Amino acid sequence: MVRAAVLPAVGASLEVTDIDLPDPGPGQVRVRLAAAGVCHSDLSLSNGTMRVPVPAVLGHEGAGTVVAVGEGVTGVAPGDGVVLNWAPSCGSCHACALGEVWLCANALNGAADVYAHTADGTDLHPGLNVAAFAEETVVSESCLLPLPEGIPLTDAALLGCAVLTGYGAVHHSARVREGETVAVYGVGGVGLAALQAARIAGASRIVAVDVSPEKEELARLAGATDYLIASDTTPREIRGLTGKQGVDVAVECVGRATTIRTAWDSTRRGGRTTVVGIGGKDQQVTFNALELFHWGRTLAGCVYGNSNPAEDLPVLAEHVRAGRLDLGALVTERIALDGIPAAFDNMLAGKGGRALVVF
């Protein structure tokens, strides 16, 4: 039995309770978690914006130590440090064949599996494959990446989603070039990673935009040269900072129609907007045909930072070791499992960066 945060039903509160976690079966690995980040996607799963089978143990951003392996597992052994990969590519679908592993059609198949049980025998599903909101979890070997050398396990948890997503949005999706100007909308965990990524890319001006005045220091420490409180005049303010042109790139990390539209409006003619935030189906973004022609801007969705975790994790680790990427700067509170509901409330209220569950 291990302690876990269980989502009993969509829209219900998480319940921290004991669950019965079986030994790993063929191709599976049991991992003792060191830390797990609380991501906005977990909130989206709990409130039904994104759908998963329930009851479920959420949490998809984590790192820990292998404690047992099942038959046929050859890539890891007990004692190994690992980073959880919630979206493993199958290698055989159409997207994988194109090299777009972040769009793998089969990446989330494991979320429908029964991986554990409550104390009364109720089936439990593993959230986004990995069920990181628990002291221990059992996952497919494909959901594991080796812990990069020199990266503490607790910090490494952030690599599994926030950093891969924020860094990838800047480097893979928007392809920010040295000297370009960038605006990042939403200064949460992913937004802070995007700000650091823009700095690493050599952006000449980095504008952070958020509803909270309290996040300005966090944003500037991450690399923001300017900080704006989100309003109806944000695009005009950004043009005022960029020679009346607008930024080359906007990265939207909120997932709201108004923010997406504002981000698009804040780019220059021919500018690029990358949407990272996950919004609901009711969030409709509208454009007229003439403005699409006139402005010549690009609007692109971005899944998991358009990243290939196996290839990108070593690159991120090198940035960390070289001091260019500060993982600890993303974390504004360290909590226990029972602190996750409050972390959800803080996200809804626009407070703080990343909350990190430390075991």
Side-chain angles (χ1 to χ4, degrees):
M1 303 291 283
V2 299
R3 299 285 284 173
V6 175
L7 177 70
V10 172
S13 299
L14 293 180
E15 299 175 356
V16 178
T17 185
D18 289 330
I19 66 170
D20 184 9
L21 190 66
D23 293 332
Q28 293 184 323
V29 179
R30 184 165 178 146
V31 177
R32 179 180 300 117
L33 273 296
V38 182
C39 179
H40 202 282
S41 296
D42 298 309
L43 177 60
S44 296
L45 292 168
S46 72
N47 64 25
T49 300
M50 298 167 61
R51 291 286 182 177
V52 291
V54 290
V57 174
L58 303 183
H60 60 280
E61 180 184 88
T65 303
V66 174
V67 293
V69 299
E71 181 183 352
V73 172
T74 59
V76 295
D80 288 351
V82 291
V83 177
L84 300 181
N85 175 16
W86 61 270
S89 57
C90 70
S92 59
C93 70
H94 182 67
C96 287
L98 293 173
E100 298 173 351
V101 298
W102 54 91
L103 299 178
C104 175
N106 301 308
L108 294 179
N109 285 356
D113 294 342
V114 173
Y115 94 113
H117 298 87
T118 62
D120 65 5
T122 302
D123 292 346
L124 285 174
H125 303 279
L128 291 179
N129 283 327
V130 296
F133 288 166
E135 295 170 331
E136 296 186 9
T137 187
V138 172
V139 301
S140 166
E141 182 182 7
S142 65
C143 290
L144 300 178
L145 298 163
L147 176 72
E149 183 178 350
I151 309 298
L153 264 178
T154 301
D155 290 346
L158 301 163
L159 294 172
C161 184
V163 180
L164 275 170
T165 301
Y167 180 91
V170 169
H171 286 264
H172 300 320
S173 179
R175 298 182 182 274
V176 174
R177 299 181 291 267
E178 185 174 359
E180 289 193 311
T181 53
V182 178
V184 175
Y185 285 79
V187 185
V190 173
L192 288 169
L195 289 169
Q196 292 201 44
R199 173 176 46 75
I200 291 170
S204 61
R205 189 154 212 157
I206 305 170
V207 184
V209 184
D210 199 277
V211 296
S212 172
E214 287 76 23
K215 292 187 180 182
E216 180 171 359
E217 183 178 0
L218 279 174
R220 290 188 180 276
L221 287 173
T225 58
D226 303 273
Y227 190 82
L228 299 177
I229 303 302
S231 72
D232 293 340
T233 63
T234 298
R236 187 189 318 153
E237 293 177 75
I238 287 179
R239 286 193 292 274
L241 294 171
T242 55
K244 299 183 180 180
Q245 298 301 309
V247 289
D248 297 298
V249 171
V251 180
E252 200 274 356
C253 303
V254 180
R256 294 198 186 105
T258 53
T259 314
I260 294 169
R261 177 70 212 211
T262 301
W264 193 82
D265 285 339
S266 70
T267 62
R268 64 169 175 82
R269 196 174 187 187
R272 313 183 303 277
T273 298
T274 287
V275 178
V276 180
I278 301 172
K281 290 186 289 185
D282 61 327
Q283 296 288 313
Q284 299 293 315
V285 188
T286 60
F287 307 90
N288 68 59
L290 180 60
E291 67 178 325
L292 290 174
F293 161 77
H294 172 76
W295 288 102
R297 293 163 169 157
T298 301
L299 179 69
C302 178
V303 178
Y304 203 6
N306 292 9
S307 294
N308 181 335
E311 294 181 357
D312 290 340
L313 202 63
V315 175
L316 294 174
E318 181 54 35
H319 284 311
V320 174
R321 289 190 291 265
R324 293 183 291 267
L325 181 60
D326 184 356
L327 299 178
L330 275 62
V331 180
T332 51
E333 60 175 340
R334 295 172 187 265
I335 60 175
L337 279 173
D338 58 8
I340 296 174
F344 281 178
D345 290 341
N346 285 338
M347 279 192 285
L348 285 170
K351 296 179 180 179
R354 198 48 130 217
L356 190 67
V357 180
V358 179
F359 296 93

